[in-house]
Amino acid sequence: MPLNGNPDGIYTIDPQHTNVLFTIGHVGITEFTGHFDKISGTYTFDNSAPQKDRVRIAIPAASINTNFALRDQHLRSKEFFDVKKYPDITFVSTKYAPNGDKAGNLYGNLTLHGVTKPVMFKVREIGAGEISYLPKPWGGYLSGFVATATIHRSDFGMTAYLPEGLSNTIRIKVEVEGVKQS
């Protein structure tokens, strides 16, 4: 079945088919990737004015998962995410600039560790269309994207183990699937 684009409207992020991944350098030797187990949010399309497209995402910081419980506990502590004081990571877009037919730059404000900074995500559409053979909540009109950005954790007040223990540069990859609201 051919996929046919994203009609105007509001899409709800499907948390079972969405991933938020981050990659960080470890002691100058290697990199490792972790993710967050929970995410919620919406995005909107206005095909006549793509610059008005909007995204809102919320991630509980305590849902961090690096596949090592002791490290995850440390990352939730005051030394890093301080999840008791700053329970949520949020991204709220301010504008979208198309860059070709199925790609663009999404600008917005990322709030992490109580600090809000502008961030730009490179966005690429994977596909979109009516998927009627899947039962709800997995079926319906679906759309999918991959968005990537690079941030410096020190910009958000996260300076533990800088500069030699953990890299300052964090690569973020968000694999999003959304369901169009009726």
Side-chain angles (χ1 to χ4, degrees):
M1 171 179 63
L3 299 178
N4 52 13
N6 296 286
D8 291 352
I10 299 171
Y11 293 73
T12 301
I13 291 172
D14 176 352
Q16 285 77 40
H17 294 99
T18 298
N19 293 300
V20 179
L21 309 160
F22 62 91
T23 302
I24 185 169
H26 183 249
V27 298
I29 302 296
T30 191
E31 296 180 332
F32 73 90
T33 299
H35 64 277
F36 291 90
D37 288 336
K38 296 182 180 179
I39 183 172
S40 62
T42 60
Y43 54 93
T44 60
F45 285 106
D46 183 339
N47 286 292
S48 63
Q51 68 278 10
K52 294 181 181 178
D53 293 350
R54 293 292 180 255
V55 175
R56 293 182 161 275
I57 292 177
I59 302 165
S63 73
I64 194 165
N65 186 338
T66 64
N67 295 315
F68 183 50
L70 188 59
R71 178 175 47 218
D72 295 343
Q73 181 180 354
H74 188 200
L75 290 171
R76 292 181 188 112
S77 76
K78 289 181 181 182
E79 199 165 24
F80 288 98
F81 284 91
D82 197 359
V83 300
K84 289 182 181 174
K85 188 172 182 182
Y86 308 111
D88 293 314
I89 300 166
T90 60
F91 177 79
V92 178
S93 70
T94 54
K95 79 174 183 177
Y96 178 73
N99 183 10
D101 188 33
K102 304 262 184 198
N105 296 328
L106 180 66
Y107 298 85
N109 294 311
L110 176 66
T111 301
L112 171 64
H113 195 250
V115 177
T116 301
K117 295 281 184 181
V119 172
M120 187 271 294
F121 281 88
K122 293 181 180 183
V123 178
R124 178 175 51 92
E125 180 183 327
I126 303 299
E130 181 66 38
I131 311 297
S132 57
Y133 60 88
L134 291 176
K136 295 281 182 187
W138 302 287
Y141 200 97
L142 307 178
S143 71
F145 297 86
V146 171
T148 58
T150 300
I151 64 169
H152 293 101
R153 63 188 179 97
S154 62
D155 291 345
F156 296 90
M158 298 176 75
T159 58
Y161 302 98
L162 280 176
E164 62 278 337
L166 296 170
S167 68
N168 193 28
T169 301
I170 309 271
R171 291 190 319 271
I172 301 169
K173 180 180 181 183
V174 183
E175 302 164 336
V176 174
E177 183 172 299
V179 181
K180 187 174 186 306
Q181 296 178 10
S182 44

